[in-house]
Amino acid sequence: MSMLSPSRLKARVSIPSRDQVKARVKSHLHWQVPFEAGIYQNSPRWSNKDLDPVPLEMRTWTGKDFWAYWVSDMLAPPLASTVSSVMSLGFTARETIPITFCGFLVISCIITLTGKIGATYNIPFPVLVRSSFGMYGSYVAIIIRSFVAAMWTAILCVQASAFLQCCIEAIWPSFKNFPNHIPDSAGITSAGLLCFFLYWMGQTLLALMPIKKLRILFLVKAVIVPPTFLALFLWAAIVTHGGGELVTGKVKVISPYMNLAYSSITGLNVIVGLFSSLAVNIPDFSRFSKNKMAGYHQFFALPIIGTLGALTPIFVTSAHSTLWGTFEWYMPAVIEKFDSRAAKFFVAFSFMLATIGNQIAAGTYPFSNDVSGIWPKYINIFRATIIISIFCVVCTPWNIIKNAAGLLAFLSGYSCIMGPLAGVIVCDYYLIKKGRLDINELYKDRGIYWYNYGINWRAYAAFIGGFAPLLPGFAKSIVLTLDVGGSWKIYTFAWFWGFFTSILYYYVICTWISPPISAQIDVAVLPPQLGDVSPSSGDDGFLEKSEVKAHAKEVSPV
């Protein structure tokens, strides 16, 4: 994203005066928030500065910026936890590495498809989803994705607080003896809860800052985190003399009801699930593209960076098994056992820093941007950040990641929702509308994307058709003793089932049962494009492609 590119951010951090602080606080003491209309001033319900197409001068991302984003987003604790949880199925490096590569290769294809939509029309996810689900129908899709972002943010709060606890213990070893007054059934100790709230307060304060003012944080993260991943990999390879049993050994499937094939598919689904949410909302970032994400190298960024980054948790998990005799998927628990207090502090601090950047860039910021777009009259980005911060506490996320099975259930659980959602969006844009949207109609009441009462029932029929058959398997992933017959089998590839089934349903409905004729146009209407010399524009400042043929290329679905 643009905030990760140093050359894009020139804003200086300034300390507000007392009057400025009073003015900011006063504005939040009313139900309604100050509202700044977007370029479509006649449609304040659908248009504001955060939802409008990105202006030409802000479309600055090139290939190197997207690769830098993936490096920053991939080399973070979520990757380490996910890869290690895949190994908890009984896999060694021989199985985990190809599963990881194939999983990232698959989701990279979908991210490229949805990303090109945002890059072509320069619009964020909340606006794009209006074209497929309808103006009001988009709200449910936005809420679903926002909930996933909120859950991830909450889970990362727990992991980051564990890293903070490692830092404190490295400085003051006596903190290990902090008295615990919480029962084991709570899933967290008194010391852990204290560190959780300490981290939570710091992270909330950072998240409340304008994203453009966090340039230093992302710069420091980019400098510190990658070398830490490399150092951990080298340490693990050295202490195990080349890898250890979990690298060179043989697979031992531990599931009570899945064989090797189904365990492998589950692992693949978990890897895909890690970025299944981003596969839907990547337009939030790709809209800043300078060249419509040109070049096939975008497709290879995720599998290359992700697989190389996965080597660290694979080898570290193996090293823990070799040195301490037990399998450990949770990185804070590994760091806690380091003998060197200096190594313990710096590694934990680096991972905590990576988590903060990952939380804000991929969790808090997208959530706030999306939710503020649903109720702009009452919720702005500041209030949305407060909402997600409170959610991080009340959802007690430490109960979700008590063990690797809990994280596996969470990743598979939300991927079975994200798969159908991505399937409908991809099918609607590429197969039904042939890549042709009208940018002006996306901000208009009762326009061509109004469908029936603001909702496209076809999209929801396909979404439910892809999601509903996965519910029994989801229930069994939580309660292993639950008897659901053979329905758990399709849940092992939940994302794939949901994605392709929803595509099939949506295509059949829109082609043979009830074609959305009013939403299918012959000529795409785009925002102003680079190279438009003297374009003729309407009252809203946007251009029909037919008017700028001499300056713009034809819109292609791919």
Side-chain angles (χ1 to χ4, degrees):
M1 62 187 67
S2 57
M3 78 285 293
L4 300 178
S5 179
S7 62
R8 313 301 183 211
L9 300 170
K10 304 297 183 183
R12 296 179 179 178
V13 177
S14 58
I15 300 176
S17 64
R18 177 183 295 181
D19 292 338
Q20 289 175 323
V21 171
K22 287 183 178 179
R24 293 178 184 177
V25 172
K26 187 177 180 180
S27 66
H28 296 288
L29 298 180
H30 305 280
W31 281 109
Q32 296 187 15
V33 297
F35 179 71
E36 183 178 345
I39 57 176
Y40 295 92
Q41 297 186 10
N42 294 328
S43 300
R45 185 69 191 84
W46 311 108
S47 170
N48 61 48
K49 63 178 182 178
D50 295 318
L51 296 176
D52 289 343
V54 175
L56 279 169
E57 64 273 12
M58 294 181 63
R59 300 175 202 168
T60 55
W61 279 36
T62 60
K64 65 179 181 181
D65 295 305
F66 283 101
W67 277 77
Y69 168 72
W70 287 120
V71 171
S72 177
D73 202 39
M74 291 295 296
L75 301 184
L79 175 67
S81 299
T82 302
V83 172
S84 296
S85 65
V86 171
M87 296 182 71
S88 72
L89 293 170
F91 296 126
T92 66
R94 294 179 178 180
E95 296 79 32
T96 305
I97 291 175
I99 288 174
T100 301
F101 179 82
C102 292
F104 285 142
L105 193 67
V106 169
I107 201 63
S108 179
C109 178
I110 311 305
I111 288 175
T112 302
L113 289 175
T114 54
K116 279 190 173 292
I117 308 175
T120 300
Y121 290 90
N122 309 111
I123 52 177
F125 164 72
V127 176
L128 167 62
V129 77
R130 295 171 187 170
S131 66
S132 52
F133 282 82
M135 302 300 284
Y136 283 125
S138 65
Y139 286 3
V140 176
I142 294 171
I143 290 172
I144 290 174
R145 202 212 65 82
S146 299
F147 175 74
V148 171
M151 287 301 302
W152 255 124
T153 303
I155 288 174
L156 291 179
C157 266
V158 178
Q159 289 198 1
S161 66
F163 292 129
L164 175 61
Q165 185 171 349
C166 289
C167 290
I168 294 175
E169 291 176 355
I171 300 174
W172 297 289
S174 59
F175 190 73
K176 294 181 180 180
N177 301 320
F178 192 89
N180 180 38
H181 303 288
I182 301 178
D184 293 339
S185 59
I188 194 170
T189 64
S190 297
L193 193 61
L194 173 62
C195 291
F196 175 85
F197 278 104
L198 288 175
Y199 173 81
W200 174 79
M201 288 187 290
Q203 187 271 338
T204 300
L205 291 174
L206 285 173
L208 288 172
M209 295 177 62
I211 197 74
K212 63 183 180 181
K213 292 188 176 183
L214 296 176
R215 172 176 175 257
I216 300 299
L217 172 66
F218 292 112
L219 282 176
V220 172
K221 175 186 174 183
V223 171
I224 293 179
V225 176
T228 302
F229 261 72
L230 178 60
L232 276 176
F233 169 75
L234 294 176
W235 165 80
I238 292 173
V239 298
T240 57
H241 304 289
E245 183 65 22
L246 291 181
V247 173
T248 60
K250 295 182 179 181
V251 60
K252 298 177 182 178
V253 176
I254 63 173
S255 173
Y257 62 94
M258 292 190 296
N259 57 22
L260 177 60
Y262 281 112
S263 294
S264 300
I265 296 173
T266 298
L268 183 66
N269 190 71
V270 167
I271 295 296
V272 170
L274 179 61
F275 284 99
S276 62
S277 177
L278 189 63
V280 170
N281 78 291
I282 187 63
D284 287 345
F285 311 131
S286 65
R287 58 178 168 154
F288 294 100
S289 176
K290 185 177 182 179
N291 54 8
K292 295 184 176 63
M293 293 181 68
Y296 293 103
H297 61 88
Q298 297 291 342
F299 175 75
F300 297 103
L302 190 58
I304 291 175
I305 297 171
T307 304
L308 291 176
L311 293 176
T312 293
I314 290 173
F315 274 75
V316 169
T317 302
S318 180
H320 185 281
S321 179
T322 300
L323 296 176
W324 291 287
T326 58
F327 178 90
E328 182 56 68
W329 69 279
Y330 196 45
M331 189 62 72
V334 176
I335 298 174
E336 185 181 9
K337 295 180 180 179
F338 286 179
D339 294 328
S340 170
R341 290 168 58 186
K344 184 176 182 178
F345 174 83
F346 285 112
V347 173
F349 177 80
S350 175
F351 274 76
M352 183 174 66
L353 183 66
T355 306
I356 293 174
N358 193 264
Q359 269 186 300
I360 295 175
T364 305
Y365 178 69
F367 173 90
S368 302
N369 209 30
D370 292 350
V371 173
S372 63
I374 298 179
W375 298 287
K377 189 176 181 179
Y378 300 101
I379 300 179
N380 55 13
I381 289 181
F382 181 91
R383 290 186 179 182
T385 304
I386 295 295
I387 291 172
I388 192 175
S389 296
I390 295 174
F391 177 84
C392 287
V393 177
V394 299
C395 73
T396 61
W398 45 84
N399 288 316
I400 299 175
I401 56 172
K402 285 182 178 180
N403 49 49
L407 183 61
L408 284 170
F410 169 71
L411 288 169
S412 296
Y414 85 74
S415 68
C416 73
I417 301 177
M418 291 294 106
L421 190 58
V424 170
I425 293 173
V426 169
C427 183
D428 180 73
Y429 179 79
Y430 288 99
L431 301 181
I432 303 303
K433 296 187 172 72
K434 311 299 183 184
R436 295 188 290 265
L437 302 179
D438 187 329
I439 191 69
N440 298 323
E441 295 289 329
L442 289 169
Y443 298 88
K444 184 182 295 184
D445 261 325
R446 291 171 174 78
I448 65 174
Y449 303 117
W450 189 253
Y451 299 104
N452 300 95
Y453 305 100
I455 299 173
N456 183 10
W457 65 269
R458 306 164 189 83
Y460 279 100
F463 175 81
I464 294 172
F467 169 66
L470 300 170
L471 288 176
F474 174 66
K476 185 173 180 61
S477 71
I478 299 174
V479 183
L480 295 179
T481 57
L482 189 65
D483 184 13
V484 296
S487 60
W488 62 266
K489 295 180 180 179
I490 63 172
Y491 185 74
T492 59
F493 51 96
W495 184 91
F496 295 90
W497 171 274
F499 180 77
F500 290 106
T501 302
S502 63
I503 286 180
L504 176 62
Y505 287 159
Y506 192 74
Y507 185 79
V508 169
I509 293 172
C510 293
T511 303
W512 291 294
I513 299 177
S514 178
I517 298 175
S518 62
Q520 294 172 300
I521 58 178
D522 296 325
V523 179
V525 180
L526 301 167
Q529 301 296 300
L530 188 65
D532 296 340
V533 181
S534 299
S536 57
S537 59
D539 294 337
D540 46 30
F542 286 90
L543 314 172
E544 278 202 10
K545 190 181 73 171
S546 58
E547 298 174 347
V548 290
K549 283 183 178 178
H551 310 290
K553 296 180 179 179
E554 292 291 322
V555 173
S556 172
V558 293

